[in-house]
Amino acid sequence: MNRSLTQPTNLALGLVLILLIALPFFAPNYYVQFASKAMLMGMLALSLNLVVGFGGLVSLCHAAFFGLAGYMLGFQSPESAGASLWLSLPVALLVVAAVAAVIGTLSLRTRGIYFIMVTLAFGEMLFYFFHDTKIGGGSDGLYIYFKPEIALFGQTLIDLDNSRSFYLLVLASLVMTAGLIRGLVNSPFGHALQAARDNERRALSLGFPVFRLRLMAFILSAMIAGLAGYFSAAQFGFVAPQMLGWHLSATVLVMVVLGGMSSILGPIVGAFALIGLEEVLKSAFEHWKLIKGLIIIALVFALPGGLQQLTRLVLPKSEGPHTGKDSDNQPVEADHAANLGSLSDPMTGLIQPPMTSANAKGLQHV
Amino acid sequence: MSEIMLSAKGLQRRFGGLKAVSDVSLDIFQNEIHAVIGPNGAGKSTLINLLSGDIPVSGGKVLLGARDITDLAPNTRAMAGVGRSYQKTTIFMDSTVFENVRLAAQAHSGHALRMLGHVRNDTAANASTQAAISETGLTERSGTIARFMSHGEQRQLEIAMVLATNPRVILLDEPLAGMGQAEALRMIALIRALKQGRGVLLVEHDMDAVFALADRLTVMADGQVIASGSPDHVRNHPAVRTAYLGEHEVAA
């Protein structure tokens, strides 16, 4: 890897990160909390994109994993104190993983539109489970009176009641999650997942256990959605069945597509854009939902590869093939050129393989 | 006589009322190319799909060596040593030659689904990738995106991917389809080299190629075997001459 800080995309990413770290130290509290919420939606979108963008599996039940983890925090929180994060978070994620394993095992036997339908049905089942039973307070939901505690030997390490600390913890989690997804996409696992997306039959005849591969991706993705849901419940101190509903699943899917599902960071951009757009329109117009719809339609027409396409317009091209937002996800092509000393086709620099590079779809649309 | 690598015993496949393959038995021997010919709709591609596991059998058995693999999924058969190419080129068009072949090698490198570490750092897979690429004569094209290669080279790449899975048996479904003369000659030389240490099943319409390559020949029509044996035996078989070969002989 010969990536350097001088590469414009890395530089831009670094600047954005510094800005995000600095934000709670100068922005009013309202915006700090707003940004925390946006980042958690970004994390949820990131998780969904692992299966949608890289697995080719459009899941409509990710909100259920998000909400389920929130409820798990609610169940583990005593009325007079906060739950220990060290215990409650792993429990929440394990429950989500178990539920995802069951849903995935059944739904991954279907393909295409049927997979969407089956995941939708499972998501709604979980929604009605919490909506129609008294387990989680029914349709009223459940209050979480105290935020989870992060303590070591009785000493509080991070006070989540402080919105600045909460923000920074969420930011760190988001950065780690993005790093995890990037690592996965470039790992043998990620390549196999993308090969199965591009040609399932071929992936099978090469020897890849496609079903197991997709199930693993589905469970992992659900756990990341759960992480976002856990923090979301902690932030608002409240969980309700709406957290699990298909409405949120669909909204997150819009974030993914809006941001660009062939890139790693695109979904985060999509989440920020959609939530930011709502916030601005809400304060300015009465019929803001109508205007939001029109803007989304316009964006889809103008940028079929998602908002991450915009980065290509802003950032200058550096040497070698360039992927918009995520410079680290550069195609292996460049490395081969270096390793093997042969890059005979001048076109190859322009087209990036989707198996290794995230943004090829976006490029093809241009 | 050399070892039997793969054998079909009374294979059957029905699609609704249609018997696409009925009671087909054949053996693929080590160091031999066993060609299967027959008119369109004879069931040749279905036979390959039954051997590779792409579609399940309605009856009969598939044996890999002594092992019954009839009930194994295609990916498990691939791991056991059955490699195949498709009639329609199925490579990953937006990836380089190296990436395509490495993907195949990765499936057999022992940690196909490892989540840690970059895929580039799998030295075992990289080594077998290089070997498969050089065996198919694509070393010069290693860094080229598959989409930008000629049809012939894409077919070569498909063979390289099969080789990288370290197969004991290779099933080739019309590897010469759509090739020009020069490309076809190169592919024939490549296929001839494939049988070394392995067993090869070749389904092909190009009769010149079939008679240049085949050590053993099976003729199918309407889902059944109508003749099987050495190329000379089959060439002079009366049923074959009337059913199939006649016009080709004249044309050739």
Side-chain angles (χ1 to χ4, degrees), chain A residues 1 3 183-184 186-196 198-199 201-210 212-213 216-217 220 328 330-333 335-337 339-340 342-345 347-348 351-356 360 364, chain B residues 49 54-55 74-76 78-79 82-86 89-92 94-96 98-100 102-104 106-108 111-120 122 130 139-145 147-149 158-159 161-162 165:
Chain A
M1 300 275 251
R3 320 260 172 272
L184 273 181
N186 290 322
S187 73
F189 174 83
H191 277 238
L193 184 67
Q194 290 165 80
D198 293 341
N199 191 336
R201 204 174 176 203
R202 191 55 169 144
L204 279 171
S205 76
L206 289 179
F208 288 109
V210 170
R212 185 151 56 94
L213 185 68
M216 285 159 78
L220 261 172
D328 288 307
Q330 281 204 355
V332 183
E333 176 66 44
D335 292 82
H336 287 324
N339 290 345
L340 308 164
S342 73
L343 186 63
S344 46
D345 198 327
M347 289 292 284
T348 53
I351 306 285
Q352 296 137 12
M355 280 164 58
T356 46
Q364 280 158 9
Chain B
N49 285 333
D54 281 44
I55 53 178
N75 58 311
T76 328
M79 295 309 286
V82 181
R84 70 162 296 175
S85 75
Y86 288 90
T89 311
T90 53
I91 54 180
F92 296 95
D94 294 311
S95 299
T96 63
F98 192 88
E99 286 163 345
N100 266 289
R102 185 182 53 200
L103 187 73
Q106 178 197 325
H108 298 258
H111 20 72
L113 303 186
R114 205 176 52 180
M115 294 186 179
L116 299 174
H118 202 289
V119 71
R120 273 188 297 247
D122 187 338
Q130 296 285 13
T139 307
E140 298 281 294
R141 303 295 255 161
S142 236
T144 307
I145 304 274
R147 188 179 296 288
F148 300 120
M149 300 199 304
E158 181 143 23
I159 303 258
M161 289 172 77
V162 174
T165 65

Side-chain angles (χ1 to χ4, degrees), chain A residues 144-166:
Chain A
I144 300 163
Y145 295 100
F146 294 90
K147 289 198 169 32
E149 286 170 358
I150 307 177
L152 207 61
F153 306 118
Q155 195 73 36
T156 300
L157 294 179
I158 304 170
D159 177 16
L160 294 185
D161 276 320
N162 180 328
S163 58
R164 186 186 293 166
S165 310
F166 185 86

